[in-house]
Amino acid sequence: MRVEQFDFDLPNERIALRPARPRDAARMLVVRPGSQDLLTDGGVRDLPALLNPGDALVFNDTRVIPAQLEGKRLRGEVVAGISVTLHLRTDPGSWRAFVRPAKKLQAEDTLVFENENVVLTARVAEKVDGGEVLLAFDRAGPELDTAIAAVGHIPLPPYIAHKRAEDEQDRQDYQTIYAEKDGAVAAPTAGLHFTPQLMKALDERGIEQHRVTLHVGAGTFLPVKADDTQDHKMHAEWGEVSEETALALAAVRKRGNRVVSVGTTSLRILESAAQETGSIAPFSGETSIFITPGYRFRAIDALMTNFHLPRSTLFMLVSAFSGLDNMRAAYAHAIAEGYRFYSYGDASLLFPQDGAL
């Protein structure tokens, strides 16, 4: 499909720079394709009432690390500034990363990141296209994790970072309350809406809660530069679906209840683990799944997600699930009604169009 089909105009003032407070006070647009009422305005706190007892929510328990590193490039006597965003760990001491500026960077250059207590160095082990490099650090494992946490910054999305600097509040705001496994460089943002109070309400309604892991990479922020979706290459992300979660979700489906993905990240790892029969198998490894209209979903029955960027792979994904025309109508409605967009913005609850499942 032509990428331009997924374009739309978003007024600058619709981009949220801070989350709703409390988190579950955010608005939520419900999209029901094929219904007489395609769009229904509501709030995140309506979620328990919109689901049935026995339905299951699937959360991504990844934890965002301070993966934005600002430092210096050293080459002989030449010193220059460098900005690095880690996006995929390849072994205990190496990360793939996006760098700026990338043009003058060469293999074997030394990069230094430091504060008053820590000096962390890395060697450019490999340079590839698109501003991506492989960095080999001077330490590994937990020691490297500690150093990155000390010198790194929370990697706010560009549409926020271009408007304001990251601050201490973001270290709390840009993390789900159930985050557990370090490794993401971007938050699974649909999960940012959940509070202990909302979790309790879901429990009281009899809604199951299950966990998967997908370490969201910085590639999620990259624009689609191709003119046609078939020419776009997705960056790999590491994820896992445990045997326990796979069996639990199979039981949900068997009794006729729905599996509801909290966020596109949970959806992508579930679909990566799904079999042709629709069953979900245990999974551990990298996935670069790219979902566009025409895809048949096997693992989920509904999706809670935020509002995404125009021409993005995520807007393509929601269009595959609920229909491009329906999602264009939903986004036009959200813009007109003052919904807040992107990572810190409002939510939507999407149900599938005919033929999506």
Side-chain angles (χ1 to χ4, degrees):
M1 296 182 70
R2 301 295 293 177
V3 171
E4 63 192 21
Q5 294 178 258
F6 302 94
D7 201 4
F8 58 89
D9 292 323
L10 181 73
N12 199 46
E13 63 270 18
R14 291 287 177 263
I15 301 174
L17 300 184
R18 298 284 184 182
R21 303 204 188 282
R23 296 183 185 210
D24 60 5
R27 299 171 71 185
M28 187 168 71
L29 179 63
V30 181
V31 182
R32 294 183 181 276
S35 169
Q36 185 174 357
D37 298 315
L38 172 66
L39 307 175
T40 304
D41 296 304
V44 168
R45 291 171 182 165
D46 299 329
L47 183 62
L50 292 166
L51 302 178
N52 299 323
D55 287 347
L57 287 171
V58 184
F59 298 90
N60 182 6
D61 63 6
T62 188
R63 184 173 181 82
V64 179
I65 64 171
Q68 186 68 40
L69 308 178
E70 304 295 331
K72 298 175 291 187
R73 185 203 77 201
L74 308 182
R75 187 188 305 146
E77 299 298 319
V78 178
V79 179
I82 194 81
S83 180
V84 171
T85 304
L86 307 177
H87 79 86
L88 181 67
R89 191 172 206 151
T90 59
D91 63 48
S94 301
W95 278 83
R96 292 203 172 272
F98 297 111
V99 297
R100 290 182 294 110
K103 189 174 182 180
K104 294 184 178 180
L105 197 65
Q106 298 177 6
E108 302 304 321
D109 280 349
T110 297
L111 309 184
V112 179
F113 313 97
E114 60 185 317
N115 60 18
E116 60 274 14
N117 299 313
V118 175
V119 178
L120 175 64
T121 66
R123 176 178 58 86
V124 178
E126 179 186 2
K127 183 179 178 182
V128 295
D129 294 336
E132 186 179 5
V133 298
L134 176 63
L135 297 179
F137 286 91
D138 63 354
R139 62 203 77 185
E143 188 180 356
L144 175 57
D145 297 341
T146 300
I148 290 172
V151 302
H153 302 272
I154 292 296
L156 288 180
Y159 44 78
I160 296 176
H162 289 164
K163 294 174 179 290
R164 68 169 181 83
E166 168 248 0
D167 57 28
E168 281 301 314
Q169 186 62 45
D170 289 306
R171 294 213 169 210
Q172 177 178 331
D173 289 344
Y174 202 58
Q175 201 81 263
T176 64
I177 63 169
Y178 48 81
E180 184 176 90
K181 298 175 182 176
D182 286 346
V185 303
T189 55
L192 298 180
H193 298 295
F194 287 81
T195 62
Q197 293 77 16
L198 181 56
M199 293 294 212
K200 181 180 178 183
L202 290 163
D203 280 337
E204 292 173 347
R205 175 71 170 158
I207 310 299
E208 293 184 12
Q209 299 174 26
H210 300 288
R211 304 284 191 268
V212 293
T213 304
L214 184 72
H215 290 325
V216 192
T220 192
F221 299 138
L222 295 180
V224 178
K225 296 181 179 179
D227 293 327
D228 196 285
T229 56
Q230 68 180 2
D231 297 323
H232 177 68
K233 178 186 176 184
M234 291 286 283
H235 283 81
E237 298 165 311
W238 187 90
E240 184 173 43
V241 177
S242 69
E243 182 176 8
E244 178 184 7
T245 294
L247 289 172
L249 296 180
V252 171
R253 280 278 185 76
K254 185 175 182 180
R255 64 173 179 258
N257 281 105
R258 295 173 296 190
V259 173
V260 182
S261 173
V262 177
T264 58
T265 62
S266 298
L267 183 155
R268 294 205 308 275
I269 191 61
L270 287 173
E271 289 295 324
S272 298
Q275 308 298 295
E276 290 295 333
T277 59
S279 63
I280 299 170
F283 179 95
S284 181
E286 292 184 0
T287 177
S288 55
I289 189 171
F290 181 26
I291 296 174
T292 58
Y295 181 88
R296 295 295 296 268
F297 291 82
R298 296 171 292 181
I300 72 158
D301 303 291
L303 167 65
M304 180 181 175
T305 187
N306 285 16
F307 293 95
H308 304 294
L309 282 75
R311 303 173 69 97
S312 66
T313 60
L314 300 183
F315 186 60
M316 295 171 190
L317 185 156
V318 297
S319 297
F321 189 67
S322 295
L324 177 56
D325 289 343
N326 293 330
M327 292 311 301
R328 292 185 69 88
Y331 275 47
H333 173 88
I335 291 168
E337 294 298 317
Y339 280 75
R340 302 162 70 248
F341 274 60
Y342 304 164
S343 295
Y344 279 154
D346 294 317
S348 60
L349 180 63
L350 310 181
F351 292 91
Q353 67 174 338
D354 286 344
L357 304 183

